[in-house]
Amino acid sequence: MDERSQAFFRQLLDTPSPSGFERPIQDVVRAWVGEFAHEVRTDWHGNVIAARHPAPNQPSPMKIMYAGHCDQIALMVEHIDNDGYLYIQPIGGFDMQILLGQYFTVWTKSGPVPGVLSRRPPHLLTNEERNKVPQFTDVWVDIGAKDRADAESIVRLGDPVTYQLQYRTLRNGLAASPAMDDKVGLWVVMEALRLISQRNIQASVYSVSTVQEEIGLRGAITSTHSVAPTVGIAVDVCHATDTPGNDKKQVGDTRLGAGPVIFRGANINPRVFDLLESVAQTHKIPVQIRGVPRATGTDANAMQISRDGVATALIGIPNRYMHSPVEVVHLDDLVNAAKLLAEFALAVTPEMDWTP
Ligand SMILES: [Zn+2]
């Protein structure tokens, strides 16, 4: 991985971006991509759109949009009790059993406030409590406040709470962090623009850092409308199935480090798929193929049914332990996905017909 691009990746992971609270990460994106883009704009929803044209101020009628969502799952402070404990509700999808006993950070107006989330120790639980999965109303975030007034002196209702942001490298090129979903995809679409900026393209490329994907693909809806692309490719994490217990007959065989996944199915334009596959072959970029027999739960779904329909594809970065604080990816898969998107853009000409 290019050294500066790697620093950008780490910066994305170190910056909180709960859905609806994406400004800090969009600041990071704007600061980095400006150098490689012909234009960078932010819409009122908060999406950052960075464009590269065949020449400055000369957009091509053939527009390609790459979308990586910048938001991450998080919690929100809904109630502070008299003892100063914070009660939270989820922003996006959580597995409650993974929350217990974790370090969290409350992102307040005056900065990050450390906290822990737990429940009573096993010795003090009733038999019934011990055997059931707790609900959000059964757990709390403890910031060490003396009482409600003390907590309220720093925390406001509606403040977002994330897992403690922390990056760890594992063996053999693997890395773990909260919110690999989808900071890896965000990194890929911006890295693709950097690679393209050193070459001559015939299409215009719009790399978009979309907001609020985790709560209903919302940023992809608004940004696809405004970019009005011909071709749209979303980059998001997908489940690696190389961990114990997965039924490959049902979920396929997707491995970390074996390349980004190119999806097939109703959510994917077959001509875009064909070009992605042939570009991968030509440039010897390893890829994995996977079928999805329905609409995907990604920005690719919103993109495809925007306006009169967009020729859409989806690239997956294999990910273990999705929506946990220890999401694991292989860094080579990110690098190869960025290469694939860059080579794809270089292969697109204004005359291409994407009619399925
Ligand atoms: Zn995602």
Side-chain angles (χ1 to χ4, degrees):
M1 196 181 275
D2 173 87
E3 207 173 295
R4 281 184 64 212
S5 299
Q6 180 151 24
F8 172 56
F9 180 50
R10 291 291 304 276
Q11 216 184 344
L12 293 177
L13 291 169
D14 288 344
T15 307
S17 60
S19 314
F21 299 85
E22 295 100 339
R23 196 198 287 174
I25 201 162
Q26 298 295 46
D27 285 341
V28 171
V29 172
R30 283 184 284 253
W32 195 78
V33 79
E35 184 183 329
F36 314 111
H38 286 135
E39 46 168 324
V40 180
R41 64 189 171 86
T42 305
D43 64 26
W44 288 329
H45 195 185
N47 301 295
V48 171
I49 300 164
R52 182 90 199 169
H53 305 300
N57 298 314
Q58 284 178 37
S60 164
M62 179 62 76
K63 295 193 271 187
I64 305 170
M65 173 171 157
Y66 292 150
H69 73 85
C70 69
D71 61 311
Q72 67 182 96
I73 57 164
L75 304 169
M76 179 180 272
V77 178
E78 287 291 350
H79 177 66
I80 302 172
D81 76 8
N82 289 336
D83 294 320
Y85 296 114
L86 316 181
Y87 284 83
I88 41 53
Q89 286 291 310
I91 303 174
F94 274 93
D95 175 354
M96 179 42 116
Q97 305 199 64
I98 283 174
L99 292 188
L100 292 173
Q102 297 286 349
Y103 290 108
F104 278 83
T105 304
V106 187
W107 299 95
T108 73
K109 204 175 176 180
S110 28
V113 171
V116 298
L117 186 150
S118 198
R119 62 171 173 174
R120 301 189 334 276
H123 327 65
L124 303 182
L125 294 175
T126 63
N127 258 339
E128 197 197 338
E129 283 172 325
R130 212 174 289 130
N131 294 323
K132 94 173 214 274
V133 177
Q135 304 300 302
F136 280 95
T137 47
D138 299 329
V139 300
W140 53 87
V141 174
D142 185 344
I143 58 166
K146 280 188 236 153
D147 53 25
R148 183 181 192 142
D150 186 29
E152 283 177 346
S153 71
I154 189 150
V155 176
R156 288 184 299 172
L157 296 179
D159 277 346
V161 183
T162 64
Y163 292 124
Q164 170 177 272
L165 303 180
Q166 189 186 20
Y167 180 85
R168 281 184 185 226
T169 49
L170 307 180
R171 288 170 62 78
N172 300 311
L174 272 56
S177 169
M180 288 294 190
D181 176 7
D182 182 33
K183 292 176 185 185
V184 295
L186 171 56
W187 182 87
V188 166
V189 303
M190 296 302 160
E191 175 70 359
L193 205 73
R194 184 185 75 84
L195 296 174
I196 289 163
S197 72
Q198 303 158 352
R199 316 267 296 271
N200 293 318
I201 43 172
Q202 296 180 61
S204 282
V205 177
Y206 298 77
S207 284
V208 183
S209 172
T210 63
V211 295
Q212 300 181 20
E213 188 270 354
E214 295 289 357
I215 54 167
L217 320 178
R218 301 181 81 238
I221 294 171
T222 47
S223 58
T224 311
H225 184 88
S226 80
V227 171
T230 318
V231 176
I233 302 180
V235 185
D236 208 334
V237 291
C238 65
H239 297 293
T241 58
D242 55 356
T243 49
N246 289 308
D247 182 359
K248 295 188 167 51
K249 298 193 286 294
Q250 200 185 339
V251 293
D253 188 1
T254 304
R255 306 186 156 269
L256 292 194
V261 174
I262 315 179
F263 283 88
R264 296 187 67 203
N267 201 162
I268 312 301
N269 176 290
R271 292 195 186 218
V272 180
F273 173 86
D274 287 346
L275 185 58
L276 281 168
E277 195 186 33
S278 79
V279 162
Q281 259 165 15
T282 308
H283 296 278
K284 300 192 166 50
I285 302 168
V287 292
Q288 310 181 69
I289 296 193
R290 187 134 148 207
V292 181
R294 64 190 84 83
T296 67
T298 69
D299 278 349
N301 189 21
M303 291 172 97
Q304 186 183 35
I305 55 176
S306 179
R307 292 180 180 259
D308 301 344
V310 172
T312 298
L314 173 62
I315 301 292
I317 307 296
N319 178 213
R320 293 179 189 159
Y321 321 119
M322 203 183 290
H323 286 198
S324 82
V326 295
E327 297 187 347
V328 174
V329 299
H330 195 302
L331 298 178
D332 285 355
D333 292 335
L334 278 63
V335 172
N336 283 318
K339 259 190 225 164
L340 179 63
L341 289 192
E343 295 298 343
F344 176 88
L346 287 155
V348 171
T349 62
E351 303 76 40
M352 280 184 173
D353 177 14
W354 305 98
T355 314

